[in-house]
Amino acid sequence: MIPEIETKTEQEIKFFQEEKLMDLLKYVNENSPYYKKLFKKNNIEIRNIKTIEDLQLLPVTNKEDLQQYNDDFMCVPVSKVIDFATTSGTLGDPVTFGLTDSDLDRLAYNEAISFDCAGIKEGDVVQLMTTMDRRFMAGLAYFLGLRKMKVGVVRVGAGIPELQWDSILKYKPSYLITVPSFLLKMIEYAENHNIDFNASGVKGAICIGEPLRNQDFSMNILSKKITDKWNIDLFSTYASTEMSTAFTECEHSIGGHHHPELIIIEVLDDENKPVKNGKPGELTFTTLGVEAMPLVRFKTGDIVQLHEEPCACGRNTTRVGPVIGRKKQMIKYKGTTLYPPAMIDVLNDFDAIECHIIEVLTNEIGTDEIVIKIAVKEESPVFLQEIKDHFRAKLRVTPKIEFSTKESLNKLIFNPMSRKPINFFDKRKNDF
């Protein structure tokens, strides 16, 4: 069921959002210590902010503000908080988010319409292959959304291919929610244990944390490797704890659909001005309907491109393209601008690479240095040269590449204190 507002015209959606925006600004001005001070400091008269364009009159908020003034963003007393979640801390110290009963209902609604977008329907069974503990908002959100849809949930958690396959063969889920690279481990385990994964009944996977597509929406190397063997549909979903909202692909796979009833989005340049249509910039959002910790013009650090063309699914909403990279993970290397996802794509071209990490450091002359450590099935100078040549062909530069062991790299990738696999390590001296 597509929410009615998502089928309206562009102008109707804009008018709807502007009414919600005025309500939000009044709410944060009365209840948020942080925004109350910010508006006063900048002589902001919120009654003058009436349109989406007027948002440019407001200062932006960033992750550093959240870290430094975490408690000042809370708009309700702690007694009203039902769930305490934290960000993953990928780019800094984790930030605590409180959610009220109303916020949890909003979270459930968001995931329900997002999963519906990907084709999940009442009566399906979904295997949840992400954690619900460690104050992880996403796992809880998935469960709440599926429950709202009256969909069965198999809560297996992350990792352990054997346990995942035991549950798939027993409960026959039609969809999986997982990090896509883990599906390759699932395929490998199935092949080694004579499991016919194409007869498992799994129709699709909702994929989090890693891109599935190139900027033109063609399948990237990772998604090709999965679907070349396993005949399932892959749907990308993009979200964050801060936005409490997801952008999920429909069956047409041309970007994650925006839910205008939940969030206002902008794409900004380095001067915090909107980029020209179709140009990449930093995704910046304003949450709607959040009670405990609403955010106004929050810069995510993610570089994306918006797409406005109509979608055949019937939604008239903006779509967010694959994340190009994180602004703070941008690397200037030998005159070329690089982001980790582009290097990961190159490494994914090689089946012989079992795992890898990317480190970026500051060298003796003060510029960025990249060191890629890989574990392979069989080390050889010829293979190392082949990888370097491939980097040069694809990205025009060749980083330093070293062989390592699978055991030593996995200790870094699967840090027990982290909720997600970590492949990128920023060790630059002048880190952001």
Side-chain angles (χ1 to χ4, degrees):
M1 179 71 180
I2 302 175
E4 186 179 359
I5 185 61
E6 300 185 23
T7 65
K8 298 290 187 180
T9 66
E10 182 181 345
Q11 194 58 40
E12 287 172 322
I13 290 173
K14 183 175 184 289
F15 180 73
F16 170 87
Q17 288 209 307
E18 288 170 346
E19 286 194 323
K20 295 286 187 184
L21 173 61
M22 288 187 281
D23 291 341
L24 166 73
L25 293 177
K26 182 181 178 184
Y27 179 77
V28 297
N29 196 47
E30 291 174 355
N31 297 286
S32 168
Y34 177 81
Y35 285 113
K36 197 181 297 185
K37 290 176 189 172
L38 186 69
F39 295 162
K40 186 176 181 179
K41 178 183 175 182
N42 290 275
N43 298 314
I44 302 291
E45 287 287 347
I46 59 166
R47 64 174 178 268
N48 295 333
I49 313 297
K50 298 178 180 178
T51 68
I52 300 297
E53 291 77 15
D54 290 341
L55 275 171
Q56 295 173 51
L57 301 173
L58 299 176
V60 297
T61 301
N62 57 40
K63 292 177 187 286
E64 289 75 18
D65 296 324
L66 268 180
Q67 288 165 347
Q68 190 172 354
Y69 305 107
N70 198 171
D71 293 344
D72 287 348
F73 282 88
M74 189 71 75
C75 291
V76 299
V78 175
S79 60
K80 285 198 69 176
V81 174
I82 302 298
D83 185 75
F84 293 88
T86 56
T87 60
S88 60
T90 307
L91 294 179
D93 295 331
V95 172
T96 296
F97 273 79
L99 291 92
T100 65
D101 204 43
S102 171
D103 292 336
L104 290 173
D105 287 342
R106 178 189 177 279
L107 205 59
Y109 169 80
N110 160 72
E111 291 300 343
I113 59 176
S114 297
F115 289 142
D116 181 84
C117 194
I120 297 175
K121 303 297 179 188
E122 181 178 344
D124 280 327
V125 174
V126 175
Q127 186 151 312
L128 184 53
M129 298 163 62
T130 65
T131 184
M132 280 183 64
D133 59 6
R134 302 188 187 181
R135 305 190 302 272
F136 188 42
M137 183 189 284
L140 176 64
Y142 302 146
F143 175 78
L144 292 174
L146 294 168
R147 178 176 180 266
K148 185 177 180 66
M149 298 173 77
K150 297 182 172 59
V151 167
V153 185
V154 185
R155 294 182 292 108
V156 181
I160 319 176
E162 181 180 4
L163 181 58
Q164 302 291 352
W165 276 117
D166 285 347
S167 294
I168 289 172
L169 298 176
K170 183 173 184 178
Y171 300 109
K172 303 294 182 186
S174 40
Y175 290 88
L176 311 174
I177 301 176
T178 183
V179 176
S181 57
F182 185 68
L183 292 174
L184 293 176
K185 296 185 184 299
M186 294 283 289
I187 291 170
E188 182 182 17
Y189 182 91
E191 289 175 334
N192 291 337
H193 293 82
N194 299 314
I195 297 172
D196 186 354
F197 43 87
N198 279 312
S200 64
V202 175
K203 295 191 296 185
I206 314 299
C207 295
I208 66 170
E210 296 168 341
L212 294 174
R213 311 199 191 285
N214 301 310
Q215 290 303 308
D216 62 359
F217 299 118
S218 60
M219 298 179 84
N220 65 13
I221 298 298
L222 175 59
S223 55
K224 279 181 185 174
K225 280 188 171 183
I226 296 165
T227 55
D228 281 351
K229 291 193 171 184
W230 200 349
N231 184 27
I232 57 174
D233 295 320
L234 301 179
F235 298 90
S236 178
T237 185
Y238 163 71
S240 71
T241 301
E242 294 92 345
M243 67 175 73
S244 297
T245 309
F247 298 83
T248 305
E249 289 181 331
C250 68
E251 68 271 23
H252 298 287
S253 304
I254 50 173
H257 279 282
H258 170 219
H259 301 309
E261 65 271 46
L262 298 178
I263 199 167
I264 295 169
I265 55 174
E266 307 171 80
V267 173
L268 305 181
D269 61 20
D270 289 339
E271 280 73 49
N272 297 328
K273 301 294 183 186
V275 300
K276 293 180 180 178
N277 283 347
K279 297 295 182 182
E282 186 171 357
L283 183 69
T284 303
F285 67 81
T286 298
T287 51
L288 301 174
V290 172
E291 186 176 26
M293 286 185 66
L295 296 174
V296 179
R297 298 200 87 200
F298 182 80
K299 300 190 79 176
T300 61
D302 291 331
I303 306 301
V304 302
Q305 186 175 330
L306 298 184
H307 299 267
E308 310 285 353
E309 309 84 9
C311 182
C313 73
R315 294 172 180 83
N316 290 328
T317 50
T318 300
R319 298 181 312 284
V320 176
V323 174
I324 297 168
R326 288 188 164 171
K327 187 175 181 180
K328 289 190 176 180
Q329 293 179 347
M330 186 184 78
I331 304 161
K332 293 294 288 186
Y333 188 66
K334 298 180 180 178
T336 298
T337 299
L338 296 176
Y339 290 98
M343 291 186 278
I344 290 169
D345 268 354
V346 173
L347 295 168
N348 282 340
D349 272 330
F350 295 93
D351 291 332
I353 296 178
E354 296 180 293
C355 58
H356 66 267
I357 65 168
I358 300 169
E359 294 180 339
V360 57
L361 313 98
T362 303
N363 61 25
E364 64 275 4
I365 60 171
T367 59
D368 292 347
E369 190 69 50
I370 304 168
V371 179
I372 297 176
K373 297 180 180 179
I374 59 173
V376 299
K377 293 168 184 174
E378 189 174 334
E379 296 181 12
S380 76
V382 173
F383 182 58
L384 188 61
Q385 188 59 48
E386 187 181 345
I387 299 171
K388 290 180 177 180
D389 290 344
H390 197 52
F391 264 97
R392 193 174 294 108
K394 291 287 187 180
L395 302 180
R396 303 196 307 276
V397 292
T398 304
K400 185 178 180 181
I401 302 172
E402 300 175 352
F403 288 124
S404 185
T405 65
K406 189 174 180 180
E407 292 73 25
S408 62
L409 294 186
N410 277 339
K411 285 179 183 177
L412 298 170
I413 296 168
F414 301 103
N415 186 324
M417 297 303 293
S418 174
R419 298 180 303 217
K420 305 174 188 174
I422 303 171
N423 292 93
F424 179 76
F425 297 85
D426 196 335
K427 298 180 177 180
R428 285 176 283 192
K429 290 176 184 174
N430 297 316
D431 201 2
F432 298 86

